[in-house]
Amino acid sequence: MSLTDFLSSRWEDILAVSWWHLRLSLMAVGLALGIGLPLGIVSHMNRVAAALVLNTVSVIYTVPTLALFGLMIPLLGIGVIPAIVAVVLYSLLPVVQNTYTGLANIDPNLREVAIGMGMGRFTRLFRVELPLALPVIFAGLRVAVVNAIGMVTLASLIAAGGLGDFIFRGISIMSWNLVLAGSVPVLAMALGADYLLKRAEQRLSRSREVAMP
């Protein structure tokens, strides 16, 4: 069967699996953002926390992705939950690191101005520092999303579904149609997400430049 015939006969299945793959990726990145953003803020505020948190997420990031999924099996079994946990853990480094870096690199003079205006620590954080750090945070989010879309491909190895089902089934039976049916949507989603987040990052950077004196 030609690739065109295969795609025309299986497009509904491919679309459904692609949607599930995207949902898994976005759920994992959303959780990573919800965990990593506060950890980055705490790391910025406390040097001891910074050393502990940054070293921990760096060590997790060095674990091979396949091994990380394998480690989830004795801990959480198989299925969606261990897959999401693995992707969340792997996505923490770019979110935490960029949040910390974005806050640390803010011009100290701007902080002095905010303090001179009578802003407290948390008011200054949410009204001045985080808005200025957003472009850098978005850069980390961009890396996390692209990594997650690729990493969720391996989630099929622990029965979480996704486009990896097509890829690994295609490899096992030597069907390049199946391999392409799984690979092309992953590539398209990664490139699309990277483009959209890059545009958002550029807009935030331009807004920051306009706001800067």
Side-chain angles (χ1 to χ4, degrees):
M1 182 184 294
S2 69
L3 178 61
T4 303
D5 292 338
F6 176 81
L7 293 177
S8 63
S9 64
R10 299 288 299 273
W11 71 269
E12 290 183 347
D13 292 337
I14 295 170
L15 190 61
V17 175
S18 298
W19 173 239
W20 175 244
H21 189 105
L22 183 61
R23 284 179 61 191
L24 284 177
S25 303
L26 294 180
M27 281 190 288
V29 173
L31 288 170
L33 185 62
I35 297 169
L37 191 61
L39 287 177
I41 293 171
V42 170
S43 299
H44 169 64
M45 292 181 167
N46 186 288
R47 291 185 178 180
V48 175
L52 178 62
V53 171
L54 294 174
N55 286 333
T56 300
V57 295
S58 295
V59 168
I60 292 172
Y61 198 76
T62 62
V63 177
T65 53
L66 189 58
L68 189 57
F69 276 109
L71 289 172
M72 293 296 108
I73 296 175
L75 297 175
L76 298 172
I78 61 174
V80 173
I81 292 177
I84 289 179
V85 170
V87 179
V88 168
L89 290 173
Y90 203 73
S91 301
L92 282 176
L93 179 62
V95 176
V96 174
Q97 181 70 62
N98 280 52
T99 301
Y100 173 81
T101 301
L103 292 171
N105 289 339
I106 292 173
D107 188 344
N109 293 326
L110 295 176
R111 287 197 180 93
E112 293 299 326
V113 171
I115 293 171
M117 293 174 63
M119 292 186 185
R121 189 172 191 179
F122 288 100
T123 303
R124 187 170 72 248
L125 173 68
F126 288 103
R127 294 188 61 181
V128 177
E129 296 177 349
L130 279 176
L132 290 173
L134 269 181
V136 181
I137 296 172
F138 252 83
L141 178 62
R142 179 180 156 201
V143 173
V145 170
V146 173
N147 282 349
I149 290 171
M151 190 175 178
V152 168
T153 304
L154 297 175
S156 66
L157 295 175
I158 55 173
L163 289 162
D165 286 349
F166 285 133
I167 295 172
F168 293 114
R169 195 184 314 154
I171 292 172
S172 66
I173 64 174
M174 296 297 291
S175 170
W176 294 113
N177 287 339
L178 278 172
V179 173
L180 289 173
S183 302
V184 172
V186 170
L187 179 61
M189 281 189 283
L191 291 175
D194 183 67
Y195 173 77
L196 292 174
L197 289 172
K198 187 175 182 178
R199 290 292 300 272
E201 180 187 339
Q202 289 171 344
R203 287 192 174 189
L204 286 170
S205 297
R206 285 197 295 269
S207 300
R208 180 179 178 180
E209 289 173 2
V210 171
M212 293 280 286

